Amino acid sequence: MLEEVHGIDSSQFQLVTNHLDRNRISAVPHQNIVFHDLLKQIPWAKFDSLVEQYNADWDDRVVKTKSHLIGLLYGQLSGARSLREIETTLKTHAGKLYHLGGSPISRSALSTANASRPAEVFTGVLSSLMGILQAKSRRQIRDCVRLIDSTSVSLTKLSSDWARFSEGVCGAKAHIVYDPDADQPLYLMVTPSNVNDITIAQQMPIEPGATYVFDLGYYDYGWWAKLEQAGCHIVTRLKSNTPFAVMEDRPVEPGSSILSDRIGHLPRRLAASRRNPMSGVVREVRVVIETGKKLRIFTNNLTASATEIADLYRRRWAIELFFRWVKQTLKIGHFLGTSENAVRIQIAVALIAFVLLRLAHDANKIVARPLTFARLIRTNLVERRAIAELLRPPPTSEQKQARFDFGSHATRTAKRRRDARASPAKAAA
């Protein structure tokens, strides 16, 4: 009836756009979010094998391991400080995370997964990623320097059943082997803070031919001897009361920080007349540091210069800077769970986030400083842009206003109005 009254055939309506034909319209290409570009560096095939190996998805009522990992990584990279904050942000971006294998997770589900899921899945993923990063900076073993140290993190009294250090004090330690040339961790072990550093060092894998640098926390002649038997060089400190039998006194440059360079032996016998396993020819280099303190640097490297030995020991500060960077940038100062398993998972995921950022930074040198890059990623984590394009202005597309063309049924008045609106645009062009 409407068509008869107005004399217009609606089948003749055409929706047209300026300078575009329907047959030539192409779909807008899909762009992944920044978080997706980070996650694609994870070896998911290895991840699946770890899930199967440790039966990590044993209970259908518990959130799946992949969603668990993605949720914790999102919390690390976004700077979330609580399970409730992770829950809220995952829910907010559920649509963007769905295609990554992620999903909204309740606070209670996250807590249950942190407490019960085997932490070995996450440490296994970390080991694989560290291997990938190490392969990108592979050097000859004889040129490799390995720094060994640990960092302590404070825990609440709720963790006292496994992490009690003293009355009212609870904490954990992250024991790290670190490559200062590649700026990356190579090994991680998390223990209660009352576990001695040397106890964990004795369990660490040894790379034959590498140079190991460590401090007084690893003072054990038997372990030193194992390193030497593997062809490794050692650079550490001697205690002030350790005797040193001098065989040769090498000349040093006057006025330098090197006070002496001597070849000799450690005590051949220890307490209870035990033989010292580190009784071969070794070296002591005495140096004075900026504060005026004098250090006795010990090494079994008899060929490097005294300055090189002192510089190697000074490189120990690189691992301290790494610890500081991780604690300031990622979330291992405030823990989301109180059990040992939850703490181990959170530290492992924090280091996974560190390695992912390192791999992305190496592939996209858009800024020089890793800290600036990490902040840039955090700000744009769910933006649909390539990482390499983050510092470029977003593309602007001029959307053409669609209009109806009534064809031969358009009145002369309508045509005049349409032409009048088009005239100013042509004049401006």
Side-chain angles (χ1 to χ4, degrees):
M1 174 66 76
L2 182 63
E3 293 177 0
E4 293 177 359
V5 171
H6 295 283
I8 299 177
D9 185 1
S10 60
S11 64
Q12 296 183 16
F13 280 38
Q14 298 177 11
L15 180 63
V16 295
T17 58
N18 295 342
H19 310 296
L20 289 177
D21 183 84
R22 183 183 299 274
N23 295 328
R24 291 187 291 129
I25 296 177
S26 59
V28 177
H30 174 73
Q31 176 63 59
N32 293 321
I33 63 175
V34 170
F35 188 37
H36 176 273
D37 286 348
L38 292 174
L39 291 181
K40 69 182 181 182
Q41 301 172 108
I42 294 177
W44 290 111
K46 175 64 175 178
F47 171 82
D48 292 337
S49 68
L50 287 167
V51 171
E52 183 177 356
Q53 177 183 348
Y54 294 102
N55 193 25
D57 285 336
W58 80 99
D59 192 341
D60 291 336
R61 294 170 298 177
V62 179
V63 60
K64 294 299 182 183
T65 309
K66 186 173 184 179
S67 294
H68 186 195
L69 173 61
I70 290 174
L72 291 180
L73 277 174
Y74 186 86
Q76 284 288 345
L77 294 168
S78 66
R81 290 185 54 83
S82 66
L83 291 176
R84 190 180 299 279
E85 190 173 348
I86 294 176
E87 176 188 16
T88 302
T89 52
L90 290 178
K91 187 180 297 184
T92 301
H93 302 294
K96 294 181 179 179
L97 298 177
Y98 172 78
H99 297 287
L100 310 181
S103 63
I105 309 174
S106 68
R107 179 169 57 92
S108 60
L110 270 174
S111 179
T112 301
N114 284 340
S116 58
R117 176 155 285 125
E120 289 77 8
V121 175
F122 302 90
T123 55
V125 172
L126 174 61
S127 296
S128 296
L129 282 170
M130 290 190 298
I132 293 171
L133 186 56
Q134 188 178 10
K136 292 181 179 295
S137 58
R138 179 68 66 183
R139 300 176 307 283
Q140 294 184 352
I141 289 294
R142 66 173 180 270
D143 298 326
C144 290
V145 177
R146 301 290 181 254
L147 310 180
I148 304 178
D149 206 348
S150 66
T151 185
S152 297
V153 291
S154 298
L155 300 173
T156 67
K157 294 180 181 180
L158 296 175
S159 301
S160 60
D161 59 329
W162 67 274
R164 184 176 181 274
F165 180 73
S166 61
E167 185 64 31
V169 178
C170 299
K173 275 184 182 178
H175 304 263
I176 298 285
V177 178
Y178 183 75
D179 182 346
D181 296 305
D183 185 21
Q184 68 163 98
L186 302 175
Y187 177 87
L188 167 69
M189 176 67 74
V190 179
T191 68
S193 56
N194 58 4
V195 175
N196 290 332
D197 290 345
I198 186 60
T199 302
I200 302 304
Q202 291 167 344
Q203 304 174 26
M204 292 177 177
I206 296 175
E207 293 185 60
T211 296
Y212 283 88
V213 184
F214 44 87
D215 207 356
L216 291 173
Y218 303 88
Y219 211 87
D220 183 273
Y221 294 150
W223 183 61
W224 294 3
K226 287 182 180 180
L227 292 174
E228 187 173 52
Q229 290 167 8
C232 300
H233 285 150
I234 303 166
V235 178
T236 185
R237 282 175 60 190
L238 286 177
K239 294 180 180 178
S240 59
N241 61 350
T242 301
F244 189 80
V246 180
M247 295 173 48
E248 175 190 352
D249 204 334
R250 294 181 174 180
V252 298
E253 184 179 348
S256 70
S257 61
I258 309 296
L259 301 178
S260 66
D261 182 7
R262 304 187 294 184
I263 305 296
H265 294 276
L266 291 172
R268 296 184 181 276
R269 292 287 175 180
L270 303 176
S273 299
R274 290 183 296 114
R275 179 180 174 275
N276 186 351
M278 196 68 186
S279 58
V281 177
V282 289
R283 185 177 180 186
E284 178 206 62
V285 177
R286 294 174 63 245
V287 301
V288 58
I289 61 177
E290 291 82 359
T291 62
K293 183 178 180 180
K294 297 177 183 178
L295 305 179
R296 301 174 69 195
I297 300 177
F298 170 85
T299 183
N300 61 343
N301 187 337
L302 306 180
T303 58
S305 69
T307 301
E308 290 174 333
I309 299 300
D311 288 342
L312 277 171
Y313 186 76
R314 191 179 294 114
R315 295 192 73 183
R316 226 180 44 79
W317 288 107
I319 194 170
E320 299 292 344
L321 295 175
F322 165 74
F323 288 146
R324 184 183 304 174
W325 192 96
V326 170
K327 288 182 176 180
Q328 290 179 347
T329 310
L330 302 173
K331 300 302 174 186
I332 63 170
H334 179 80
F335 285 89
L336 307 176
T338 60
S339 67
E340 182 176 5
N341 197 72
V343 171
R344 290 180 62 200
I345 286 176
Q346 186 169 337
I347 293 177
V349 171
L351 292 183
I352 289 173
F354 171 84
V355 178
L356 292 178
L357 288 171
R358 275 295 318 281
L359 289 170
H361 187 216
D362 290 345
N364 303 274
K365 293 291 188 180
I366 53 178
V367 291
R369 297 180 60 207
L371 181 58
T372 304
F373 182 78
R375 290 169 176 166
L376 189 63
I377 292 296
R378 175 173 298 176
T379 305
N380 297 275
L381 196 56
V382 293
E383 293 294 323
R384 294 192 183 277
R385 300 184 65 187
I387 293 177
E389 307 290 328
L390 289 181
L391 291 182
R392 299 178 184 175
T396 57
S397 57
E398 294 184 1
Q399 298 294 333
K400 302 298 184 180
Q401 177 64 46
R403 60 182 177 84
F404 282 104
D405 186 353
F406 289 85
S408 59
H409 298 283
T411 64
R412 293 180 181 177
T413 304
K415 288 181 180 180
R416 284 197 297 269
R417 286 198 299 266
R418 183 184 62 194
D419 293 341
R421 287 195 297 268
S423 296
K426 291 181 180 179

